[in-house]
Amino acid sequence: MSNIKGKGHCQSCQIRHLSIFAQLPIDRLVEIQVFQPSVVVYAPDETVYHQGDSALNAFTLRKGLIKLTKTLPNGRTQIVRVLRTGDLFGFDGFANEPYNHTATPLSEIEVCRLPLGELMELKKQNPEIENTMMRRWIQHLREAEDMMLELGAKKAPERLASFLIRWCEGTGGSWVVLPLSRGEIGELLGLTIETVSRFLSDWKRQGFLNEQRGSIQIQDVDGLRKMACASGNC
Amino acid sequence: MSNIKGKGHCQSCQIRHLSIFAQLPIDRLVEIQVFQPSVVVYAPDETVYHQGDSALNAFTLRKGLIKLTKTLPNGRTQIVRVLRTGDLFGFDGFANEPYNHTATPLSEIEVCRLPLGELMELKKQNPEIENTMMRRWIQHLREAEDMMLELGAKKAPERLASFLIRWCEGTGGSWVVLPLSRGEIGELLGLTIETVSRFLSDWKRQGFLNEQRGSIQIQDVDGLRKMACASGNC
DNA sequence: CGCACCCTTGAATTGTATCAACTCTGGTGG
DNA sequence: CCACCAGAGTTGATACAATTCAAGGGTGCG
């Protein structure tokens, strides 16, 4: 089961600069030190919450990666987002709604569990928090729109190529950890495991990219980019 | 060209109860009456703003329907959202980002143009506005996630059927205006105009639904619902 | 009336899923 | 240390879904 590691102390938090408390002035941090959210650890075979659960806590991801998924009654699954360190998630309760998706670790993770009531109070009293959260919601919305374009208007190789390029963005051709199985990449892009496997194999053979147990390296971004937009230059 | 109809007066606004100012107490309305956003009219062949434009204004839709679209360089287009009366849109500026999509009327429309700076100020001074906006962003995010599931995990007939059911939700089998062409439905669901046409024709022949110049009527919701989930009950 | 535009329908083509067999890898226990 | 196993990935053959191409029909408008 999940494991409460202890209480978090925002003042000394290593990842505060990535969190919704990033913009908060130091003196406010001292004042809110009564706020000590639980730091919780989950294994990859657990879930942080399930779609439909009532949303009593929001969370900040401290370590590892999380996938947010939605599942149809017939079992088909869609990954709607992959979270990284500092991301806030599970805030549906702010709109009085139950969680709209399931949060599952992609590796051992550590999260900061923020009780909704307390977070609401902090937000009310600290405009910086409010502001940072707003910015992030708008940013998420933009990313969601981008994803809809990917899913609705692109073909398999285009989706896969632009996913890989985005994943490795800004790493200048070096090795990047990609802790997603073929099946999970498929669930993210609306493709089957076989289709993902075929294109990856193809591209490895063509020398566009390299792979080694859970890490990839893009060797020819332009080659991949051509795949990402078979007709027209995206 | 677009046409400024005059200045808006929040106090006497007919659709205020649908807007982000819905929760604002009457006395605050009196205080903010210096805030007089422009009411602007657009024809269906214009756009309110383009993807990439710098986002200087947010808008509230007063009359008509709007589609928000994203377009790939090769011309393929995705509708990411259809707006209804009261919806707030074009708020990317809050995150210092340019508009992420293009806003196009589906009919003659009337919008309330809210200069970003003034709206920001109002929001700061009125927690009710802040709160309503937050709720809506979260709601939008949830809808976007739902749409990703539709696009990524469902087949053509399932997408189309559940779109129709959603569109006519709560109207109990009566006629509903559907001012989207076959092509636009296709752009929304990631399908071609022909595919949309084929299924609609089929279902009309089977008596699941009826259509008459721009309006539809669902005659057999359960029949449609079966289409919406070929394998499993959604 | 005739033209434009949207919609419909059919036939051919292509992309992706499905089905099935096989390989590779890491881990476990003898 | 090796044999074995389970799980993930690969690859090929086939089926099917949806697009593409093409032609024709309907409706509203100048």
Side-chain angles (χ1 to χ4, degrees), chain A residues 175 203-204 207-212 215-219:
Chain A
W175 287 92
W203 296 342
K204 279 192 277 182
F208 292 164
L209 55 89
N210 235 318
E211 195 181 26
Q212 233 168 82
S215 287
I216 60 163
Q217 176 198 35
I218 298 186
Q219 292 177 302

Side-chain angles (χ1 to χ4, degrees), chain B residues 155-156 191-192 194-195 198:
Chain B
K155 298 191 186 299
L191 304 171
T192 58
E194 293 96 335
T195 304
R198 274 184 244 276

Side-chain angles (χ1 to χ4, degrees), chain A residues 153-181:
Chain A
K154 287 189 180 176
K155 298 190 186 300
E158 302 166 337
R159 285 184 226 170
L160 185 56
S162 56
F163 161 72
L164 292 172
I165 292 170
R166 234 178 314 131
W167 189 270
C168 299
E169 210 158 57
T171 56
S174 56
W175 287 92
V176 184
V177 179
L178 179 66
L180 294 170
S181 68

Side-chain angles (χ1 to χ4, degrees), chain B residues 168 172-175 203-211 216-224:
Chain B
C168 298
S174 56
W175 287 92
W203 296 342
K204 279 193 275 183
R205 274 188 289 266
Q206 292 188 44
F208 292 164
L209 54 90
N210 235 319
E211 194 181 27
I216 60 163
Q217 176 198 35
I218 297 187
Q219 293 177 303
D220 181 359
V221 200
D222 293 328
L224 260 191

Side-chain angles (χ1 to χ4, degrees), chain B residues 97-222:
Chain B
E97 300 276 0
Y99 296 122
N100 194 41
H101 49 242
T102 300
T104 315
L106 286 171
S107 59
E108 171 138 330
I109 57 158
E110 199 177 298
V111 303
C112 192
R113 191 209 282 151
L114 313 161
L116 212 75
E118 295 181 43
L119 185 54
M120 198 96 92
E121 199 55 41
L122 284 181
K123 179 174 78 67
K124 212 178 285 177
Q125 284 160 15
N126 299 278
E128 296 88 355
I129 299 178
E130 181 106 62
N131 238 278
T132 307
M133 288 177 77
M134 176 192 74
R135 278 218 174 77
R136 293 192 178 202
W137 281 320
I138 294 175
Q139 210 59 57
H140 286 196
L141 213 41
R142 294 165 60 88
E143 284 164 25
E145 288 176 352
D146 294 351
M147 200 61 199
M148 286 189 241
L149 181 67
E150 295 287 320
L151 293 172
K154 287 190 180 176
K155 298 191 186 299
E158 302 166 338
R159 284 183 228 173
L160 185 55
S162 57
F163 161 73
L164 292 172
I165 293 170
R166 234 178 313 132
W167 189 270
C168 298
E169 209 158 58
T171 56
S174 56
W175 287 92
V176 184
V177 180
L178 179 65
L180 294 170
S181 68
R182 298 291 187 265
E184 284 166 330
I185 296 173
E187 285 175 357
L188 182 65
L189 303 177
L191 304 171
T192 58
I193 180 172
E194 293 96 335
T195 304
V196 174
S197 180
R198 274 184 244 276
F199 284 112
L200 284 179
S201 299
D202 259 24
W203 296 342
K204 279 193 275 183
R205 274 188 289 266
Q206 292 188 44
F208 292 164
L209 54 90
N210 235 319
E211 194 181 27
Q212 233 169 83
R213 38 183 173 75
S215 287
I216 60 163
Q217 176 198 35
I218 297 187
Q219 293 177 303
D220 181 359
V221 200
D222 293 328

Side-chain angles (χ1 to χ4, degrees), chain A residues 155-156 191-192 194-195 198:
Chain A
K155 298 190 186 300
L191 303 171
T192 57
E194 293 96 334
T195 303
R198 273 184 243 276

